[in-house]
């Protein structure tokens, strides 16, 4: 809503004489012409669609985005990764040691949580590996780092594929090649699918940007409402007798009384005492008219939907989609966490595996996820009751593989 006041013509001279116009900002001049209020529907203003704005307006300012990102990132980083060479599980291996302690400042869960957090807030995650001798082809990686997405820029090659990555900090740029002949590439770019971009991913928080702005605007509006005596804006209309305007002294006294006696949280709900022909005319919609609380909760549900987090886990009221919290928690792990962990495990194995010249693959240890224990127990009961299966077939059905030769039954 935009208010525009007509300009005041101080004096109009007869035809043929010069006309002088003077614009005045007087509040209560007796020469003030009648005011005209013009209203028009304006366009909504949305936050910029870049990493810095999304991270600031989303993760840093919005509790729903913050909790959703933390919930997914912490859960995904807590899932242990199992290493296989073919069908054989490797208990000890340099790759497992590297993932357990990627660098001197971070542990494995800390590193992975940062990677997942970058992926969820920007749609892109950039991983850097550092070897003892980076100039030697096939040198084993010794450290891993997660780079901030806003500092990395994809450099397309002649055919459109990325040929390098520019990492920029404090006006200094380091160019790292996208591929390494016969070894491990210095940078691994993990991105979410973007239908309109060839080189960068699409972040969940970007899909929920409109709901994010609505939720943030509702919180700001609520705070401003509390700061202004918890009442909507309006106008005091003076219509006593034949008087048209208040004098300057009357205007100043009225303004001072309003500021000292009716604004601020300590004066919330205090009734407005009007005298001398003053009348209060509310302007704009009230919270009830806007269905304020429900609009804010609906925006929160849409944000949670973008991240794949059941609203129940974010304490958003009014959602009875899931019969209980345990059901919602299982849906969260199956629908949001495990697909992300499997994607990350596949990327890490494809990127780092060739350093050891082996056919390595990483898989999440689903048996270690406590939230899925009830599903696991139900599977074991069904398989154990299948009398037509041998013991090795039952073990294979639940993901343990057949017993090794020479090992007796327990």
């Amino acid at each position: 809503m935009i208010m525009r006041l007509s300009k005041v013509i101080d004096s109009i001279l007869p035809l043929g004489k010069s006309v002088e116009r003077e614009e005045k900002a007087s509040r209560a001049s007796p020469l003030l012409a009648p005011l005209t209020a013009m209203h028009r529907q304006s366009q909504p203003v949305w936050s910029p669609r870049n990493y810095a704005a999304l991270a600031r307006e989303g993760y840093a300012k919005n509790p729903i985005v913050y909790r959703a990102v933390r919930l997914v990132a912490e859960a995904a980083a807590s899932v242990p990764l199992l290493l296989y060479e073919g069908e054989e599980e490797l208990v000890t291996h340099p790759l497992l040691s590297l993932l357990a302690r990627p660098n001197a400042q971070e542990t494995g869960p800390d590193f992975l949580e940062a990677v997942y957090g970058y992926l969820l807030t920007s749609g892109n995650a950039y991983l850097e590996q550092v070897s003892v001798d980076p100039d030697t082809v096939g040198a084993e990686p010794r450290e891993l780092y997660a780079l901030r997405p806003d500092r990395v820029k994809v450099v397309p090659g002649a055919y459109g594929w990325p040929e390098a990555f520019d990492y920029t900090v404090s006006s200094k740029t380091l160019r790292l090649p996208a591929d390494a002949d016969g070894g491990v590439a210095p940078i691994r770019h993990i991105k979410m699918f973007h239908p309109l971009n060839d080189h960068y991913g699409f972040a969940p928080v970007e899909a929920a940007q409109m709901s994010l702005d609505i939720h943030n605007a509702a919180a700001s509006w609520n705070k401003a409402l509390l700061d202004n005596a918890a009442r909507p804006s309006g106008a005091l209309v003076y219509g006593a007798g034949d008087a048209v305007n208040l004098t300057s002294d009357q205007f100043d006294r009225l303004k001072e009384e309003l500021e000292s006696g009716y604004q601020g949280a300590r004066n919330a709900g205090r009734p407005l005492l009007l005298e001398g022909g003053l009348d209060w005319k509310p302007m704009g919609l009230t919270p009830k008219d806007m269905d304020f609380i429900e609009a804010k909760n609906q925006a929160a549900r849409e944000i949670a939907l973008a991240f794949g987090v059941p609203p129940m886990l974010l304490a958003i009221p009014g959602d009875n989609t899931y019969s209980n919290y345990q059901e919602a928690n299982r849906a969260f792990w199956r629908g949001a966490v495990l697909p992300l962990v499997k994607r990350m495990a596949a990327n890490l194995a494809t990127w780092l595996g060739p350093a050891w010249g082996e056919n390595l693959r990483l898989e999440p240890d689903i048996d270690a996820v406590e939230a899925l224990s009830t599903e696991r127990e139900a599977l074991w009961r069904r398989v154990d009751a299948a009398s037509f299966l041998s013991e090795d077939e039952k073990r294979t059905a639940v993901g343990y593989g057949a017993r090794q030769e020479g090992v007796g039954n327990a």
Side-chain angles (χ1 to χ4, degrees):
M1 189 76 67
I2 298 179
M3 302 287 296
R4 293 185 177 177
L5 303 181
S6 63
K7 296 180 180 179
V8 179
I9 302 177
D10 184 57
S11 61
I12 302 178
L13 301 179
L15 185 65
K17 296 183 178 181
S18 62
V19 178
E20 297 181 358
R21 295 185 178 183
E22 180 182 357
E23 297 182 5
K24 294 187 177 181
S26 174
R27 300 162 302 180
S29 172
L31 300 178
L32 188 64
L35 302 181
T36 301
M38 301 179 62
H39 305 267
R40 67 180 179 88
Q41 184 67 33
S42 60
Q43 295 296 323
V45 179
W46 307 110
S47 300
R49 290 178 177 264
N50 56 63
Y51 172 75
L54 292 175
R56 180 177 59 253
E57 298 298 325
Y59 188 86
K61 289 186 177 181
N62 189 276
I64 303 298
V65 175
Y66 172 83
R67 186 54 186 154
V69 172
R70 287 292 304 272
L71 205 61
V72 176
E74 289 179 349
S78 68
V79 179
L81 297 178
L82 303 178
L83 183 63
Y84 293 90
E85 183 180 6
E87 297 298 327
E88 180 184 358
E89 180 183 352
L90 303 179
V91 180
T92 58
H93 192 275
L95 178 55
L96 292 176
S97 301
L98 178 63
L99 294 177
R101 189 64 185 273
N103 56 67
Q105 287 77 34
E106 295 177 306
T107 63
D110 294 334
F111 168 75
L112 289 176
E113 183 182 340
V115 174
Y116 289 125
Y118 287 141
L119 191 61
L120 292 170
T121 53
S122 73
N124 302 275
Y126 299 91
L127 281 64
E128 180 191 13
Q129 66 87 12
V130 179
S131 58
V132 176
D133 189 0
D135 297 328
T136 302
V137 177
E140 294 183 4
R142 293 298 179 88
E143 291 184 344
L144 301 176
Y145 295 93
L147 306 181
R148 267 179 48 177
D150 58 327
R151 293 176 175 174
V152 183
K153 180 181 179 181
V154 177
V155 181
Y159 298 98
W161 298 103
E163 68 174 12
F165 296 93
D166 284 348
Y167 182 72
T168 304
V169 179
S170 301
S171 302
K172 297 181 180 179
T173 301
L174 173 66
R175 176 159 294 188
L176 300 169
D179 298 318
D181 297 331
V184 179
I187 297 291
R188 181 69 177 187
H189 182 194
I190 304 173
K191 61 181 180 179
M192 292 185 169
F193 172 69
H194 196 317
L196 300 176
N197 200 303
D198 296 329
H199 302 296
Y200 298 98
F202 188 80
V205 68
E206 189 173 356
Q209 183 184 14
M210 291 186 179
S211 299
L212 169 63
D213 286 345
I214 291 173
H215 197 273
N216 285 346
S220 299
W221 187 89
N222 197 29
K223 177 63 167 60
L225 183 66
L226 293 175
D227 290 342
N228 288 278
R231 54 178 172 78
S233 61
L236 281 175
V237 181
Y238 181 69
D242 296 331
V244 178
N245 297 290
L246 296 174
T247 65
S248 297
D249 293 339
Q250 290 174 327
F251 186 92
D252 291 336
R253 183 173 64 85
L254 179 60
K255 182 180 178 182
E256 182 180 354
E257 290 180 357
L258 285 174
E259 291 179 349
S260 61
Y262 296 98
Q263 290 186 358
R266 63 187 180 89
N267 295 318
R270 184 177 181 182
L272 190 64
L273 217 53
L274 302 178
E275 60 180 342
L278 289 175
D279 185 24
W280 173 259
K281 297 293 185 183
M283 300 167 59
L285 298 176
T286 65
K288 184 178 183 301
D289 296 331
M290 295 176 62
D291 203 0
F292 175 74
I293 299 298
E294 180 56 32
K296 187 175 181 181
N297 289 337
Q298 180 61 31
R301 281 190 287 269
E302 292 176 355
I303 295 172
L305 175 65
F307 286 97
V309 179
M312 181 181 294
L313 301 184
L314 298 175
I316 300 174
D319 287 274
N320 299 319
T321 305
Y322 299 96
S323 58
N324 50 48
Y325 185 89
Q326 188 177 15
E327 186 84 17
N329 200 30
R330 285 199 299 268
F332 164 69
W333 277 90
R334 286 293 184 186
V337 178
L338 290 183
L340 197 60
V341 175
K342 291 180 179 179
R343 174 200 291 262
M344 186 63 62
N347 273 277
L348 291 173
T350 303
W351 177 42
L352 301 174
W356 290 274
E358 302 166 349
N359 184 23
L360 301 177
R361 61 184 176 90
L362 288 166
E363 295 286 346
D365 186 6
I366 301 180
D367 289 345
V369 179
E370 185 63 28
L372 302 177
S373 59
T374 55
E375 293 183 2
R376 186 164 58 252
E377 292 174 1
L379 174 63
W380 289 348
R381 286 195 300 269
R382 291 196 305 269
V383 172
D384 186 57
S387 58
F388 56 89
L389 295 177
S390 65
E391 184 177 354
D392 284 344
E393 289 173 335
K394 292 180 181 181
R395 288 176 57 86
T396 303
V398 297
Y400 284 99
R403 287 186 178 276
Q404 298 179 3
E405 294 183 3
V407 179
N409 294 336

